[in-house]
Coordinates of all heavy atoms in Angstrom, one line a residue:
F1 N 0.8 -1.2 0.0 CA 0.0 0.0 0.0 C 0.9 1.3 0.0 O 0.5 2.2 -0.7 CB -0.9 0.0 1.2 CG -1.8 1.2 1.3 CD1 -2.8 1.4 0.4 CD2 -1.5 2.2 2.2 CE1 -3.6 2.5 0.5 CE2 -2.3 3.3 2.3 CZ -3.4 3.5 1.4
L2 N 2.0 1.2 0.8 CA 2.8 2.4 0.9 C 3.4 2.7 -0.5 O 3.6 3.9 -0.9 CB 3.9 2.2 1.9 CG 4.9 3.3 2.1 CD1 4.1 4.5 2.6 CD2 5.9 2.9 3.2
L3 N 3.8 1.7 -1.3 CA 4.4 1.9 -2.6 C 3.4 2.6 -3.5 O 3.7 3.5 -4.2 CB 4.8 0.6 -3.2 CG 5.4 0.6 -4.6 CD1 6.7 1.5 -4.6 CD2 5.7 -0.7 -5.1
F4 N 2.1 2.2 -3.4 CA 1.0 2.9 -4.2 C 0.9 4.3 -3.8 O 0.8 5.2 -4.7 CB -0.3 2.1 -4.0 CG -1.4 2.8 -4.7 CD1 -1.6 2.7 -6.0 CD2 -2.3 3.4 -4.0 CE1 -2.6 3.3 -6.7 CE2 -3.4 4.1 -4.6 CZ -3.6 4.0 -6.0
V5 N 0.9 4.7 -2.5 CA 0.8 6.0 -2.1 C 2.0 6.9 -2.6 O 1.8 8.0 -3.1 CB 0.7 6.1 -0.5 CG1 0.7 7.5 -0.1 CG2 -0.6 5.4 -0.1
V6 N 3.2 6.4 -2.4 CA 4.4 7.1 -2.8 C 4.4 7.3 -4.4 O 4.7 8.4 -4.9 CB 5.7 6.4 -2.4 CG1 6.9 7.1 -3.0 CG2 5.7 6.5 -0.8
W7 N 4.0 6.2 -5.1 CA 3.9 6.3 -6.5 C 2.9 7.4 -7.0 O 3.2 8.2 -7.9 CB 3.6 5.0 -7.1 CG 3.3 5.0 -8.6 CD1 4.2 5.0 -9.6 CD2 2.0 5.0 -9.2 NE1 3.6 5.1 -10.8 CE2 2.3 5.1 -10.6 CE3 0.8 5.0 -8.8 CZ2 1.2 5.1 -11.5 CZ3 -0.3 5.1 -9.7 CH2 -0.1 5.1 -11.0
G8 N 1.7 7.4 -6.4 CA 0.8 8.4 -6.7 C 1.2 9.8 -6.4 O 1.0 10.7 -7.2
A9 N 1.9 10.0 -5.3 CA 2.4 11.4 -4.9 C 3.5 11.8 -5.9 O 3.5 12.9 -6.4 CB 3.0 11.3 -3.5
M10 N 4.4 10.9 -6.3 CA 5.4 11.2 -7.3 C 4.9 11.5 -8.6 O 5.3 12.4 -9.3 CB 6.4 10.1 -7.4 CG 7.3 9.9 -6.1 SD 8.2 11.4 -5.7 CE 9.2 11.6 -7.1
T11 N 3.9 10.8 -9.1 CA 3.2 11.0 -10.4 C 2.5 12.4 -10.4 O 2.6 13.2 -11.3 CB 2.2 9.9 -10.7 OG1 2.9 8.7 -10.7 CG2 1.6 10.2 -12.0
A12 N 1.9 12.7 -9.2 CA 1.2 14.0 -9.1 C 2.2 15.1 -9.2 O 2.1 16.2 -9.8 CB 0.4 14.1 -7.8
L13 N 3.3 15.0 -8.4 CA 4.4 16.0 -8.4 C 5.0 16.2 -9.8 O 5.3 17.3 -10.3 CB 5.5 15.6 -7.4 CG 6.6 16.6 -7.2 CD1 6.1 18.0 -6.7 CD2 7.6 16.1 -6.3
N14 N 5.2 15.1 -10.5 CA 5.8 15.2 -11.9 C 4.8 15.9 -12.8 O 5.2 16.7 -13.6 CB 6.0 13.8 -12.4 CG 7.3 13.1 -11.9 OD1 8.1 13.8 -11.3 ND2 7.4 11.9 -12.0
N15 N 3.5 15.7 -12.6 CA 2.5 16.3 -13.5 C 2.5 17.9 -13.2 O 2.4 18.7 -14.1 CB 1.1 15.8 -13.3 CG 1.0 14.4 -13.9 OD1 1.8 14.0 -14.8 ND2 0.1 13.6 -13.4
V16 N 2.6 18.2 -11.9 CA 2.6 19.7 -11.5 C 3.8 20.3 -12.1 O 3.7 21.4 -12.7 CB 2.5 19.8 -10.0 CG1 2.8 21.2 -9.6 CG2 1.1 19.4 -9.5
T17 N 4.9 19.7 -12.0 CA 6.2 20.2 -12.5 C 6.1 20.4 -14.0 O 6.6 21.4 -14.6 CB 7.4 19.3 -12.1 OG1 7.4 19.2 -10.7 CG2 8.7 20.0 -12.5
T18 N 5.6 19.4 -14.7 CA 5.4 19.4 -16.1 C 4.6 20.6 -16.6 O 4.8 21.3 -17.5 CB 4.9 18.1 -16.7 OG1 5.8 17.0 -16.3 CG2 4.8 18.1 -18.2
I19 N 3.4 20.8 -15.9 CA 2.5 21.9 -16.1 C 3.2 23.2 -15.9 O 3.1 24.1 -16.8 CB 1.3 21.8 -15.3 CG1 0.4 20.6 -15.8 CG2 0.4 23.1 -15.4 CD1 -0.7 20.2 -14.8
Y20 N 4.0 23.3 -14.9 CA 4.8 24.6 -14.6 C 5.8 24.8 -15.8 O 5.8 25.9 -16.3 CB 5.6 24.5 -13.3 CG 6.6 25.6 -13.2 CD1 6.2 26.9 -12.9 CD2 8.0 25.3 -13.4 CE1 7.1 27.9 -12.8 CE2 8.9 26.3 -13.3 CZ 8.5 27.6 -13.0 OH 9.4 28.6 -13.0
F21 N 6.5 23.8 -16.2 CA 7.5 24.0 -17.3 C 6.8 24.3 -18.6 O 7.3 25.1 -19.4 CB 8.4 22.7 -17.5 CG 9.5 22.7 -16.6 CD1 9.8 21.6 -15.7 CD2 10.5 23.7 -16.6 CE1 10.9 21.6 -14.9 CE2 11.6 23.7 -15.8 CZ 11.8 22.6 -15.0
N22 N 5.6 23.7 -18.8 CA 4.9 24.0 -20.0 C 4.4 25.5 -20.0 O 4.6 26.2 -21.1 CB 3.6 23.1 -20.1 CG 2.9 23.2 -21.4 OD1 3.4 23.8 -22.4 ND2 1.7 22.7 -21.5
A23 N 3.9 26.0 -18.9 CA 3.5 27.4 -18.9 C 4.7 28.3 -19.0 O 4.6 29.4 -19.6 CB 2.8 27.7 -17.5
H24 N 5.8 27.9 -18.4 CA 7.1 28.7 -18.4 C 7.6 28.8 -19.9 O 8.0 29.9 -20.3 CB 8.1 28.2 -17.5 CG 9.4 28.9 -17.4 ND1 9.5 30.1 -16.9 CD2 10.6 28.6 -17.9 CE1 10.7 30.6 -17.0 NE2 11.4 29.7 -17.6
T25 N 7.6 27.7 -20.6 CA 8.2 27.7 -21.9 C 7.3 28.4 -22.9 O 7.8 28.9 -23.9 CB 8.4 26.2 -22.4 OG1 7.2 25.5 -22.4 CG2 9.4 25.5 -21.5
Q26 N 6.0 28.5 -22.6 CA 5.1 29.2 -23.5 C 5.4 30.7 -23.5 O 5.2 31.4 -24.5 CB 3.6 29.0 -23.2 CG 3.1 27.7 -23.6 CD 1.6 27.5 -23.2 OE1 1.0 28.4 -22.7 NE2 1.1 26.3 -23.6
Q27 N 6.0 31.2 -22.4 CA 6.3 32.6 -22.3 C 7.8 32.9 -22.7 O 8.1 33.9 -23.2 CB 6.2 33.0 -20.8 CG 4.8 33.0 -20.3 CD 4.8 33.3 -18.8 OE1 5.8 33.6 -18.2 NE2 3.6 33.3 -18.3
R28 N 8.6 31.9 -22.7 CA 10.1 32.1 -22.9 C 10.6 31.6 -24.3 O 11.5 32.2 -24.8 CB 10.9 31.4 -21.8 CG 10.6 31.9 -20.4 CD 11.3 33.2 -20.2 NE 11.0 33.6 -18.8 CZ 11.2 34.8 -18.4 NH1 11.7 35.7 -19.2 NH2 10.9 35.1 -17.1
L29 N 10.0 30.5 -24.7 CA 10.6 29.9 -26.0 C 9.7 30.1 -27.2 O 8.5 30.3 -27.0 CB 10.8 28.4 -25.8 CG 11.8 27.9 -24.7 CD1 11.7 26.4 -24.6 CD2 13.1 28.4 -25.0
S30 N 10.3 30.1 -28.3 CA 9.6 30.2 -29.5 C 8.8 28.9 -29.8 O 9.1 27.9 -29.2 CB 10.5 30.5 -30.7 OG 11.3 29.4 -31.0
R31 N 7.8 29.0 -30.7 CA 7.0 27.9 -31.0 C 7.7 26.6 -31.5 O 7.4 25.5 -31.1 CB 5.9 28.3 -32.0 CG 4.8 27.3 -32.2 CD 3.8 27.9 -33.1 NE 2.7 27.0 -33.3 CZ 1.6 27.0 -32.6 NH1 1.5 27.8 -31.5 NH2 0.6 26.1 -32.8
S32 N 8.8 26.8 -32.3 CA 9.5 25.7 -32.8 C 10.4 25.0 -31.7 O 10.6 23.8 -31.8 CB 10.4 26.1 -33.9 OG 11.4 27.1 -33.5
E33 N 10.9 25.7 -30.7 CA 11.7 25.2 -29.7 C 10.9 24.5 -28.6 O 11.3 23.7 -27.9 CB 12.6 26.2 -29.1 CG 13.6 26.8 -30.0 CD 14.3 28.0 -29.5 OE1 13.8 28.7 -28.6 OE2 15.5 28.2 -29.9
R34 N 9.7 25.0 -28.4 CA 8.8 24.6 -27.3 C 8.5 23.2 -27.2 O 8.6 22.5 -26.2 CB 7.5 25.4 -27.3 CG 6.7 25.4 -26.1 CD 5.4 26.2 -26.1 NE 5.7 27.4 -26.7 CZ 4.7 28.1 -27.4 NH1 3.6 27.5 -27.7 NH2 5.0 29.3 -27.9
G35 N 8.1 22.6 -28.4 CA 7.7 21.2 -28.5 C 8.9 20.2 -28.1 O 8.7 19.3 -27.3
R36 N 10.0 20.5 -28.6 CA 11.2 19.7 -28.3 C 11.5 19.8 -26.9 O 11.9 18.7 -26.2 CB 12.3 20.1 -29.2 CG 13.6 19.2 -29.1 CD 14.7 19.6 -30.0 NE 15.2 21.0 -29.8 CZ 15.2 21.9 -30.7 NH1 14.9 21.6 -31.9 NH2 15.7 23.1 -30.4
F37 N 11.5 21.0 -26.3 CA 11.8 21.1 -24.9 C 10.9 20.4 -24.0 O 11.3 19.7 -23.1 CB 11.9 22.6 -24.5 CG 12.1 22.9 -23.1 CD1 13.5 22.8 -22.6 CD2 11.1 23.2 -22.2 CE1 13.8 23.1 -21.3 CE2 11.4 23.4 -20.8 CZ 12.7 23.3 -20.4
I38 N 9.6 20.5 -24.2 CA 8.6 19.8 -23.4 C 8.7 18.3 -23.6 O 8.6 17.5 -22.6 CB 7.2 20.3 -23.8 CG1 7.0 21.7 -23.4 CG2 6.1 19.4 -23.2 CD1 5.7 22.4 -23.8
A39 N 9.0 17.8 -24.8 CA 9.2 16.3 -25.0 C 10.4 15.9 -24.2 O 10.3 14.8 -23.6 CB 9.3 16.1 -26.5
N40 N 11.5 16.6 -24.2 CA 12.6 16.3 -23.4 C 12.4 16.2 -21.9 O 12.8 15.3 -21.2 CB 13.8 17.2 -23.7 CG 14.3 17.0 -25.1 OD1 14.2 16.0 -25.7 ND2 15.0 18.0 -25.6
I41 N 11.6 17.2 -21.4 CA 11.3 17.3 -20.0 C 10.4 16.0 -19.7 O 10.6 15.4 -18.6 CB 10.6 18.6 -19.7 CG1 11.5 19.7 -19.7 CG2 9.9 18.5 -18.3 CD1 12.6 19.7 -18.7
L42 N 9.4 15.7 -20.5 CA 8.5 14.6 -20.2 C 9.3 13.3 -20.2 O 9.1 12.4 -19.4 CB 7.4 14.5 -21.2 CG 6.3 15.5 -21.1 CD1 5.4 15.5 -22.2 CD2 5.5 15.3 -19.8
T43 N 10.3 13.2 -21.1 CA 11.1 12.0 -21.2 C 12.0 11.8 -20.0 O 12.1 10.8 -19.3 CB 12.0 12.0 -22.5 OG1 11.2 12.1 -23.6 CG2 12.9 10.8 -22.5
M44 N 12.5 12.9 -19.5 CA 13.4 12.9 -18.3 C 12.6 12.5 -17.1 O 13.0 11.7 -16.2 CB 14.0 14.2 -18.0 CG 15.2 14.5 -19.0 SD 15.9 16.2 -18.8 CE 15.6 16.6 -17.1
F45 N 11.4 13.1 -16.9 CA 10.5 12.7 -15.8 C 10.1 11.3 -15.8 O 10.0 10.6 -14.8 CB 9.3 13.7 -15.7 CG 9.6 15.0 -15.2 CD1 8.9 16.1 -15.7 CD2 10.6 15.3 -14.3 CE1 9.2 17.4 -15.2 CE2 10.9 16.5 -13.8 CZ 10.2 17.6 -14.3
T46 N 9.7 10.8 -17.0 CA 9.3 9.4 -17.1 C 10.4 8.4 -16.8 O 10.2 7.4 -16.0 CB 8.8 9.1 -18.6 OG1 7.7 10.0 -18.8 CG2 8.3 7.7 -18.7
L47 N 11.6 8.7 -17.3 CA 12.7 7.8 -16.9 C 13.1 7.9 -15.5 O 13.3 6.9 -14.8 CB 13.9 8.2 -17.8 CG 13.9 7.9 -19.2 CD1 15.1 8.4 -20.0 CD2 13.7 6.4 -19.5
A48 N 13.1 9.1 -14.9 CA 13.4 9.2 -13.5 C 12.3 8.5 -12.6 O 12.6 7.9 -11.6 CB 13.5 10.7 -13.1
N49 N 11.1 8.6 -13.0 CA 10.0 8.0 -12.3 C 10.1 6.5 -12.4 O 9.9 5.8 -11.4 CB 8.6 8.4 -12.8 CG 7.5 8.0 -12.0 OD1 7.6 7.6 -10.8 ND2 6.3 8.0 -12.5
S50 N 10.5 5.9 -13.5 CA 10.7 4.5 -13.7 C 11.9 4.0 -12.8 O 11.7 3.0 -12.2 CB 11.0 4.2 -15.1 OG 9.8 4.5 -16.0
V51 N 13.0 4.7 -12.9 CA 14.1 4.3 -12.1 C 13.8 4.4 -10.6 O 14.2 3.5 -9.8 CB 15.4 5.2 -12.4 CG1 16.5 4.9 -11.4 CG2 15.8 4.8 -13.8
G52 N 13.1 5.4 -10.2 CA 12.8 5.6 -8.8 C 11.8 4.5 -8.3 O 12.0 3.9 -7.2
S53 N 10.8 4.2 -9.1 CA 9.9 3.1 -8.8 C 10.6 1.8 -8.7 O 10.3 0.9 -7.8 CB 8.8 3.1 -9.8 OG 8.0 4.2 -9.8
L54 N 11.5 1.5 -9.6 CA 12.3 0.3 -9.6 C 13.1 0.2 -8.3 O 13.1 -0.9 -7.7 CB 13.2 0.2 -10.8 CG 14.2 -1.0 -10.9 CD1 13.4 -2.2 -11.2 CD2 15.3 -0.7 -11.9
M55 N 13.8 1.2 -7.9 CA 14.6 1.2 -6.7 C 13.8 1.0 -5.5 O 14.1 0.3 -4.6 CB 15.5 2.4 -6.7 CG 16.6 2.5 -7.8 SD 17.6 3.9 -7.7 CE 18.5 3.7 -6.2
Y56 N 12.7 1.8 -5.4 CA 11.8 1.7 -4.3 C 11.2 0.3 -4.2 O 11.0 -0.2 -3.0 CB 10.8 2.8 -4.3 CG 10.1 3.0 -3.0 CD1 10.8 3.5 -1.9 CD2 8.7 2.9 -2.9 CE1 10.2 3.7 -0.7 CE2 8.1 3.0 -1.7 CZ 8.8 3.5 -0.6 OH 8.2 3.7 0.6
G57 N 10.7 -0.2 -5.3 CA 10.2 -1.6 -5.3 C 11.2 -2.6 -4.8 O 10.9 -3.5 -4.1
W58 N 12.5 -2.4 -5.3 CA 13.6 -3.3 -4.8 C 13.8 -3.2 -3.3 O 14.0 -4.2 -2.6 CB 14.8 -2.9 -5.6 CG 16.1 -3.6 -5.1 CD1 16.4 -4.9 -5.3 CD2 17.1 -3.0 -4.3 NE1 17.6 -5.2 -4.7 CE2 18.1 -4.0 -4.1 CE3 17.4 -1.8 -3.8 CZ2 19.2 -3.8 -3.4 CZ3 18.5 -1.5 -3.1 CH2 19.4 -2.6 -2.9
A59 N 13.7 -2.0 -2.8 CA 13.9 -1.8 -1.3 C 12.7 -2.5 -0.6 O 13.0 -3.1 0.5 CB 13.9 -0.3 -1.0
L60 N 11.5 -2.4 -1.1 CA 10.4 -3.0 -0.4 C 10.3 -4.5 -0.5 O 9.7 -5.1 0.3 CB 9.1 -2.3 -0.9 CG 8.9 -0.9 -0.5 CD1 7.5 -0.4 -1.0 CD2 9.0 -0.7 1.0
A61 N 11.0 -5.0 -1.5 CA 11.0 -6.5 -1.7 C 12.2 -7.1 -1.0 O 12.4 -8.3 -1.2 CB 11.0 -6.8 -3.2
S62 N 12.9 -6.4 -0.2 CA 14.2 -6.9 0.4 C 14.0 -7.7 1.6 O 15.0 -8.2 2.1 CB 15.1 -5.7 0.6 OG 14.5 -4.8 1.6
G63 N 12.8 -7.8 2.2 CA 12.7 -8.7 3.4 C 11.6 -8.2 4.3 O 10.6 -7.7 3.8
G64 N 11.8 -8.3 5.6 CA 10.8 -7.9 6.6 C 10.7 -6.4 6.7 O 11.4 -5.6 6.0
I65 N 9.8 -5.9 7.5 CA 9.6 -4.5 7.6 C 10.8 -3.7 8.1 O 11.0 -2.6 7.6 CB 8.3 -4.2 8.6 CG1 7.9 -2.8 8.5 CG2 8.6 -4.6 10.0 CD1 7.2 -2.4 7.2
D66 N 11.6 -4.3 9.0 CA 12.8 -3.6 9.5 C 13.8 -3.4 8.3 O 14.4 -2.4 8.2 CB 13.4 -4.4 10.6 CG 12.6 -4.4 11.8 OD1 11.8 -3.5 12.0 OD2 12.7 -5.3 12.7
V67 N 14.0 -4.4 7.5 CA 14.9 -4.4 6.4 C 14.4 -3.4 5.3 O 15.1 -2.6 4.8 CB 15.1 -5.8 5.8 CG1 16.0 -5.7 4.6 CG2 15.7 -6.7 6.8
Q68 N 13.1 -3.4 5.1 CA 12.4 -2.5 4.2 C 12.7 -1.0 4.6 O 13.0 -0.2 3.8 CB 11.0 -2.7 4.0 CG 10.6 -4.0 3.3 CD 9.1 -4.3 3.3 OE1 8.3 -3.5 3.8 NE2 8.8 -5.5 2.8
I69 N 12.5 -0.7 5.9 CA 12.7 0.7 6.4 C 14.1 1.0 6.2 O 14.5 2.2 5.8 CB 12.2 0.8 7.8 CG1 10.6 0.6 7.8 CG2 12.6 2.1 8.4 CD1 10.0 0.5 9.2
A70 N 15.0 0.1 6.6 CA 16.5 0.4 6.5 C 16.9 0.7 5.1 O 17.6 1.7 4.8 CB 17.3 -0.7 7.1
M71 N 16.4 -0.1 4.1 CA 16.8 0.1 2.7 C 16.2 1.3 2.2 O 16.8 2.0 1.4 CB 16.3 -1.1 1.9 CG 17.1 -2.4 2.1 SD 18.8 -2.3 1.8 CE 18.7 -2.1 0.0
S72 N 14.9 1.6 2.5 CA 14.3 2.9 2.0 C 15.0 4.1 2.6 O 15.3 5.1 1.9 CB 12.8 2.9 2.5 OG 12.1 1.9 1.9
T73 N 15.4 4.0 3.8 CA 16.2 5.1 4.5 C 17.6 5.3 3.8 O 17.9 6.5 3.5 CB 16.4 4.9 6.0 OG1 15.1 4.7 6.6 CG2 17.1 6.0 6.6
R74 N 18.2 4.2 3.5 CA 19.5 4.3 2.8 C 19.4 4.9 1.4 O 20.2 5.8 1.0 CB 20.1 2.9 2.6 CG 20.7 2.4 3.9 CD 21.4 1.1 3.7 NE 21.6 0.4 5.0 CZ 21.4 -0.9 5.2 NH1 21.1 -1.6 4.2 NH2 21.6 -1.4 6.4
L75 N 18.3 4.5 0.7 CA 18.1 5.1 -0.6 C 17.8 6.6 -0.5 O 18.3 7.4 -1.4 CB 16.9 4.4 -1.3 CG 17.2 3.0 -1.9 CD1 15.9 2.4 -2.4 CD2 18.2 3.1 -3.0
L76 N 17.0 7.0 0.4 CA 16.7 8.4 0.6 C 17.9 9.2 0.9 O 18.2 10.3 0.4 CB 15.6 8.6 1.6 CG 14.2 8.2 1.2 CD1 13.3 8.2 2.4 CD2 13.7 9.0 0.0
L77 N 18.8 8.7 1.8 CA 20.0 9.4 2.2 C 21.0 9.5 1.0 O 21.6 10.5 0.9 CB 20.6 8.6 3.4 CG 19.9 8.8 4.7 CD1 20.5 8.0 5.8 CD2 19.9 10.3 5.1
L78 N 21.1 8.4 0.3 CA 21.9 8.4 -0.9 C 21.4 9.4 -1.9 O 22.3 10.2 -2.5 CB 21.9 7.0 -1.6 CG 22.8 6.9 -2.9 CD1 24.2 7.1 -2.6 CD2 22.5 5.5 -3.5
A79 N 20.1 9.5 -2.1 CA 19.6 10.5 -3.0 C 19.9 11.9 -2.5 O 20.2 12.8 -3.3 CB 18.1 10.3 -3.2
L80 N 19.8 12.1 -1.2 CA 20.1 13.4 -0.6 C 21.6 13.8 -0.8 O 21.9 14.9 -1.1 CB 19.7 13.4 0.9 CG 19.9 14.7 1.6 CD1 19.0 15.8 1.1 CD2 19.7 14.5 3.1
V81 N 22.5 12.8 -0.6 CA 23.9 13.1 -0.8 C 24.2 13.4 -2.2 O 25.0 14.3 -2.5 CB 24.7 11.9 -0.2 CG1 26.2 12.0 -0.7 CG2 24.6 11.8 1.3
L82 N 23.6 12.6 -3.2 CA 23.9 12.8 -4.6 C 23.4 14.2 -5.1 O 23.9 14.7 -6.0 CB 23.3 11.7 -5.4 CG 24.0 10.3 -5.2 CD1 23.2 9.3 -6.0 CD2 25.4 10.4 -5.7
R83 N 22.3 14.6 -4.5 CA 21.7 15.9 -4.9 C 22.6 17.0 -4.5 O 22.8 18.0 -5.1 CB 20.4 16.0 -4.2 CG 19.5 17.1 -4.8 CD 18.1 16.7 -4.6 NE 17.4 17.2 -5.7 CZ 16.6 18.3 -5.7 NH1 16.6 19.0 -4.7 NH2 16.0 18.7 -6.8

């Protein structure tokens, strides 16, 4: 259930960010550049969402609840350090 909730939140956040970039690019970029930029942003978000879901699913499939929490925490800390 937790994976479903996190997946839903991440998808909603990606959609909000995409809408923001779409509105921003309509004001800043010309019509010919806008489509390519939006397609690239959507591709990046889709790939990042897929990789994140894969890693989170791997962490939740790693064993008992204690191991799942430990693996999820490690992934979050790693993402924070990499950022």
Side-chain angles (χ1 to χ4, degrees):
F1 178 74
L2 183 60
L3 180 61
F4 176 74
V5 170
V6 171
W7 173 79
M10 290 303 299
T11 302
L13 183 63
N14 284 344
N15 288 338
V16 168
T17 306
T18 303
I19 290 168
Y20 167 76
F21 275 122
N22 189 12
H24 181 70
T25 58
Q26 285 181 359
Q27 296 174 0
R28 301 284 181 193
L29 297 176
S30 69
R31 190 173 180 89
S32 63
E33 295 172 332
R34 192 181 317 148
R36 185 176 61 233
F37 179 78
I38 292 171
N40 289 338
I41 291 293
L42 286 172
T43 301
M44 285 177 25
F45 285 149
T46 301
L47 289 174
N49 191 17
S50 298
V51 170
S53 295
L54 175 72
M55 292 178 69
Y56 196 62
W58 171 73
L60 292 181
S62 59
I65 191 75
D66 294 336
V67 177
Q68 292 175 5
I69 292 171
M71 289 299 291
S72 297
T73 304
R74 285 185 198 139
L75 284 174
L76 290 172
L77 289 174
L78 178 63
L80 181 65
V81 167
L82 291 176
R83 194 150 214 264

